[in-house]
Amino acid sequence: MNFKTVFKSFKNKDMLKRVLIVLGLIVIYRFLAHIPVPLGEPTTFQEAIQNLIQKSDFGGFLNLISGGGLTSFAILMVGLSPYITASIVVQLITKAIPSLEELSQDGETGRRKISQWTRILTVPLAIIQSIAYIFILYQSVLASNTSLAYTPTTADWLLSVTSMVAGSVILMWIGELITEQGIGNGISIVIFASIISQLPTTLANLGSALFDTSGGTLSLFGWFNLPVNPVFFWIILGFAIALLITIYFLIKLNEAQRIITINYAKRVHGNSTYGGIRSILPFKLIAAGVVPVIFATAFLSLPALVGQLIQSANPDGTLGTTLVTLFTAPSADNFATYYPNGITAQWFLYPALYFILVVLFTYFYTSIVYNTKEIADNLQKQGGFIEGVRPGLQTAEYLGKMINRLNLFGALALGLIAMLPFITDYIFIIVVGQPLGLSISGTGLLIVVTVALENLRQLNSRALMVTYDEYK
């Protein structure tokens, strides 16, 4: 990344215009994230959302990628989750149906059709999710015996659902407008901005704990006292060092890849000779990205959701309470409620299941991303081969074994990244008796690092293109 080239490229009016458009769209997005849904008393529903998020790790993740739109009961509370779900569904269907897979490989025309289907599928998913959110929130408000100023009418329900669907579609449109500027993927930038917008919450929590001097002040070599909490000072210092080390390893893991050298046989056509060259075939260590983490979180949130429904139907039953207790992610919000006696064996159940599911889903999704038989067939058609490996079936087997070895390390690494918030909370419980409750988890940090690296590459590429004449 050449920052000197990037800053120099801002002298170009077109480049400056693109950057300003992207920044303007992000500002518009953050403005929309604070417009409340037109339904009743927003404060009442915000309290209901807070209670639900405390019982669901998936709700916390959705709130993270919506930039806090979920907890603020904003029109963007549905966020990009319908579009992300539609993208995953269309991608899986495309791999499962041969005709759609051929269409996806049919150049720009095929990709545009699949993108259009993804947009179309996003709308009904947004409608279903909006109705579900409103219904669950309304029932939660009634269950908590909170009185509403008025009873919403059918027109009120219709208006609120329409505004939420419109917010989700507008957010998708903003992402595509950003993509058109050519300096990064719009959807990724929106998610990046959503996660970064939660940083002030974490900094505020750390700051209030750091400057709470009720337990004493920090003595600096006996010369003078700093007005900071001595325990939290060393904790935050250690946390900052650990964060830098984590970011370093995240960058290494994200950029890690196995390079396979491909040889191309010489072919003679008339008086011309083709081939006889070498190329490379890279395989990323973590090809699945954060998709396995999203799948694992959604999968584990299902029993807790079922438990909440059973509790609503039968408050005196034990089944619903047991499901909610066992499948609720340990966090700073629910630690005192679910673990009044401190950390017990039950505390480790959710993190252990989470880690196992992340590993399994990593293997599953990578098998979809990398079709070794298809790769081997394409190499054979192009006259390419791996030295010491016969083309065709043996090449597919060789690539399969290599990908499985990469998956073993990549899946374990991704699982440990997903475990970072639990590990951090465990350390804080031992030291101060209470989890820290970070607003950015290991998953969020992985998304931030991945998106930042990719967008910096694209920004640098466009900057080099704009300033090319100056280096001639």
Side-chain angles (χ1 to χ4, degrees):
M1 179 69 184
N2 192 335
F3 288 100
K4 183 179 179 181
T5 303
V6 172
F7 288 127
K8 188 179 292 186
S9 68
F10 292 156
K11 296 178 182 179
N12 182 280
K13 291 184 178 180
D14 181 66
M15 182 69 175
L16 184 60
K17 177 184 175 183
R18 290 174 184 272
V19 173
L20 291 177
I21 288 175
V22 171
L23 293 176
L25 289 171
I26 292 175
V27 170
I28 292 173
Y29 154 59
R30 293 308 305 157
F31 174 75
L32 293 174
H34 292 86
I35 299 178
V37 176
L39 181 68
E41 305 166 9
T43 304
T44 304
F45 285 100
Q46 287 173 15
E47 293 175 356
I49 292 173
Q50 291 284 1
N51 293 330
L52 287 175
I53 287 179
Q54 291 176 11
K55 299 179 181 179
S56 172
D57 190 42
F58 189 57
F61 182 77
L62 290 178
N63 183 58
L64 182 67
I65 66 174
S66 68
L70 193 59
T71 53
S72 60
F73 195 58
I75 60 173
L76 297 184
M77 64 183 298
V78 175
L80 286 168
S81 56
Y83 181 79
I84 294 172
T85 304
S87 299
I88 294 173
V89 169
V90 170
Q91 191 173 9
L92 292 175
I93 293 176
T94 301
K95 292 292 182 181
I97 302 176
S99 59
L100 292 180
E101 189 171 7
E102 291 178 5
L103 181 63
S104 66
Q105 299 172 355
D106 190 23
E108 187 64 25
T109 303
R111 286 192 292 271
R112 283 184 178 179
K113 286 184 178 179
I114 291 178
S115 297
Q116 186 66 21
W117 293 341
T118 304
R119 298 188 196 103
I120 294 172
L121 181 60
T122 299
V123 175
L125 288 176
I127 293 173
I128 294 172
Q129 195 165 328
S130 300
I131 294 174
Y133 276 19
I134 292 295
F135 177 77
I136 292 174
L137 288 175
Y138 186 65
Q139 292 299 320
S140 299
V141 171
L142 295 180
S144 62
N145 297 321
T146 302
S147 58
L148 291 172
Y150 74 103
T151 302
T153 63
T154 304
D156 294 327
W157 292 118
L158 185 61
L159 178 61
S160 61
V161 170
T162 302
S163 64
M164 292 167 64
V165 173
S168 181
V169 173
I170 290 172
L171 194 56
M172 178 183 65
W173 181 50
I174 288 175
E176 293 187 350
L177 288 177
I178 293 175
T179 302
E180 290 177 2
Q181 304 310 312
I183 56 175
N185 181 277
I187 301 300
S188 299
I189 290 177
V190 169
I191 296 176
F192 176 87
S194 301
I195 297 174
I196 292 298
S197 68
Q198 302 299 294
L199 271 178
T201 302
T202 298
L203 294 178
N205 291 337
L206 293 175
S208 61
L210 179 63
F211 293 103
D212 181 9
T213 57
S214 58
T217 58
L218 177 66
S219 176
L220 193 63
F221 303 111
W223 298 339
F224 60 90
N225 293 334
L226 292 177
V228 295
N229 188 298
V231 176
F232 273 96
F233 174 81
W234 295 113
I235 290 176
I236 292 173
L237 180 62
F239 175 74
I241 296 172
L243 180 63
L244 292 176
I245 295 173
T246 302
I247 292 175
Y248 173 80
F249 280 105
L250 281 177
I251 293 173
K252 289 294 184 182
L253 287 172
N254 184 69
E255 298 297 295
Q257 55 186 7
R258 172 73 183 275
I259 303 296
I260 301 295
T261 302
I262 305 298
N263 299 293
Y264 288 91
K266 288 185 178 180
R267 290 180 294 176
V268 178
H269 184 73
N271 295 326
S272 303
T273 302
Y274 302 92
I277 59 173
R278 288 189 174 187
S279 181
I280 62 171
L281 185 62
F283 290 90
K284 289 183 68 68
L285 177 64
I286 305 180
V290 294
V291 173
V293 180
I294 297 173
F295 280 7
T297 306
F299 190 86
L300 279 179
S301 68
L302 183 60
L305 178 61
V306 173
Q308 292 175 34
L309 294 175
I310 294 175
Q311 279 183 328
S312 300
N314 184 17
D316 298 326
T318 59
L319 178 60
T321 304
T322 302
L323 287 174
V324 171
T325 302
L326 293 178
F327 291 94
T328 298
S331 66
D333 294 325
N334 60 35
F335 182 76
T337 303
Y338 289 109
Y339 310 98
N341 300 320
I343 294 177
T344 60
Q346 175 194 327
W347 194 91
F348 295 94
L349 177 63
Y350 187 97
L353 291 175
Y354 192 29
F355 179 83
I356 293 170
L357 285 175
V358 168
V359 172
L360 293 178
F361 279 124
T362 301
Y363 272 91
F364 168 73
Y365 195 77
T366 305
S367 66
I368 296 175
V369 174
Y370 289 133
N371 187 333
T372 55
K373 187 177 183 305
E374 180 184 346
I375 296 173
D377 290 342
N378 290 335
L379 287 176
Q380 190 172 18
K381 291 176 184 177
Q382 297 168 6
F385 63 93
I386 301 172
E387 188 173 352
V389 182
R390 293 177 63 87
L393 183 60
Q394 286 192 13
T395 298
E397 292 176 353
Y398 173 83
L399 293 176
K401 291 179 181 178
M402 185 268 298
I403 290 173
N404 284 333
R405 288 195 296 269
L406 287 178
N407 258 345
L408 177 61
F409 185 81
L412 293 176
L414 195 60
L416 289 174
I417 291 170
M419 290 294 102
L420 285 179
F422 301 113
I423 295 172
T424 305
D425 282 346
Y426 182 82
I427 294 172
F428 269 77
I429 289 169
I430 293 176
V431 177
V432 298
Q434 179 68 23
L436 176 62
L438 296 176
S439 65
I440 296 186
S441 64
T443 306
L445 195 59
L446 178 62
I447 294 174
V448 167
V449 171
T450 304
V451 173
L453 289 174
E454 185 60 33
N455 289 332
L456 283 175
R457 281 197 208 95
Q458 293 195 33
L459 181 63
N460 190 50
S461 297
R462 179 162 286 278
L464 284 172
M465 184 175 63
V466 169
T467 59
Y468 177 75
D469 291 337
E470 299 182 18
Y471 293 96
K472 290 176 67 176

